[in-house]
Structures are given as C-alpha cells and as structure tokens.
Amino acid sequence: MTEQSGADAPELPGLRASIEAILLVVDEPVTVMTLAQLLERPRGEVTATLRELAAEYTEQGRGFDLREVAGGWRFYTRDVCAPVVERFVTDGQQARLTQAALETLAVVAYRQPVSRARVSAIRGVNSDGVMRTLTLRGLIEDAGQDPESQAHLYRTTGYFLERLGLRDLDELPELAPYLPDDLPDDIVSG
C-alpha cells in the first residue's frame, strides 16, 4: 500500500478565503469558536484574521464591512450604502417599525424580562398586538413565566442585537437623560 502524495491531494483554501466564504453564507453572526473548530485553527489566529479583514475592508472603502455583533461576526452593508440597498430590498414597501412598535420594543429592551401587562402599563395603552408583531418579526421572544404571577415574560433576541449593531444589551444608550422629569418612580426604576 502506498501513501498518497501531497501533489494528489486537493489544495484547501487559505484561512482568509475560508472565513470569507463562510461569512458570505451565514444568516446570523458566527462565533470565533465555531470558525476555529470548523477550520481547525486556534481561536487567536481566527480572531486576528477577522480583525485584519475588517480593517482591510474599511481601509479599501468597500460597500460592506465585517462587524462583531451579538457574540459573533457577520458581513453588513456599509452605512453609506444603506439607502441604496434599502431601496433595492424594500422596492417601495414600508419596512420601518411603527411608533407603537418602537415604543414597545424600547420598553422590552430596557426592562426585560417583562410581561405584556407591564409593557402596557408603562406605555399606557394595550400592547398585545404590537408584542405579537415584534415576536413575528423575531425582535422579541418568550423568556419564560414569572414565578409569582405566571405571566409570560418577554426579552429581546439576538436578531434585535444584530439589527441594532450591538454586541450585547450593555451597549444600549443610557435612558435616563431622555426621560421626562415628572415620571413616577416605579416606571423609571422598574
């Protein structure tokens, strides 16, 4: 039995090309750990390569950039290209959230896990329909039940972080400077 020579084996792509190929097909951010395991390379080497690629794309002024968000890495449209891409993708359709949806999403983001009743109490209007819409759009999800009231609790999703370009909830802006001075303490503090 003879060993197969190196010349007969198919040549594998390099680390940079492999990372780029994977990132082109993912529909959610992929972690360094996943890439390192898949490509059988050390995490530090994969992280360094991701950072080099991100810097290179920025330096070259590409129409896309590579960002670390929601615990992983993914390609995104560069901010300056967003209006062109939005026109292409929406083709005249309204893709924005309503004011009610934005308010509800903000309450969930800052107060999670939170029940529908609490969201409605904070907003001062019934928010059940908006909560269903946000769930259908994948921006919020069920976070279990409150042990005392048995109410369903909701939290934001990884998709929410991804759409806002945040690594985690700690990157949400401080809310206090935007609140009116006359709000009741139970709404402000939780």
Side-chain angles (χ1 to χ4, degrees):
M1 188 178 251
T2 61
E3 289 183 34
Q4 187 176 11
S5 71
D8 294 337
E11 188 174 322
L12 296 174
L15 180 60
R16 292 166 61 92
S18 296
I19 289 173
E20 288 174 326
I22 292 166
L23 292 174
L24 278 173
V25 299
V26 299
D27 58 354
E28 59 185 43
V30 62
T31 66
V32 170
M33 176 68 82
T34 300
L35 289 169
Q37 288 174 344
L38 180 68
L39 301 172
E40 300 176 341
R41 299 299 263 279
R43 286 188 312 220
E45 184 180 0
V46 170
T47 300
T49 302
L50 286 163
R51 294 192 191 291
E52 288 169 12
L53 287 169
E56 202 172 284
Y57 301 146
T58 298
E59 183 180 310
Q60 294 172 356
R62 300 275 183 102
F64 60 92
D65 61 47
L66 180 57
R67 295 187 207 155
E68 183 180 9
V69 296
W73 289 80
R74 184 173 176 199
F75 285 123
Y76 286 86
T77 303
R78 192 156 306 278
D79 293 343
V80 297
C81 298
V84 174
V85 174
E86 186 175 315
R87 275 198 312 268
F88 174 77
V89 171
T90 60
D91 192 29
Q93 298 174 6
Q94 180 68 309
R96 300 190 193 289
L97 292 174
T98 64
Q99 183 68 29
L102 288 171
E103 289 172 6
T104 303
L105 189 55
V107 171
V108 174
Y110 282 95
R111 301 299 296 272
Q112 61 188 306
V114 64
S115 69
R116 286 182 185 202
R118 185 68 178 142
V119 171
S120 294
I122 291 170
R123 290 192 59 233
V125 295
N126 185 315
S127 300
D128 291 355
V130 178
M131 296 283 287
R132 279 192 293 279
T133 299
L134 293 172
T135 302
L136 287 172
R137 287 191 175 194
L139 295 168
I140 64 172
E141 64 187 1
D142 191 310
Q145 288 185 315
D146 183 299
E148 292 177 21
S149 69
Q150 299 302 312
H152 285 281
L153 299 175
Y154 293 85
R155 65 179 171 229
T156 55
T157 63
Y159 180 65
F160 165 82
L161 292 173
E162 184 183 333
R163 296 296 298 172
L164 267 66
L166 303 173
R167 289 188 186 117
D168 56 46
L169 292 171
D170 293 335
E171 290 188 346
L172 283 172
E174 182 65 33
L175 190 57
Y178 302 102
L179 296 175
D181 295 332
D182 59 349
L183 278 179
D185 287 340
D186 67 320
I187 291 179
V188 176
S189 63

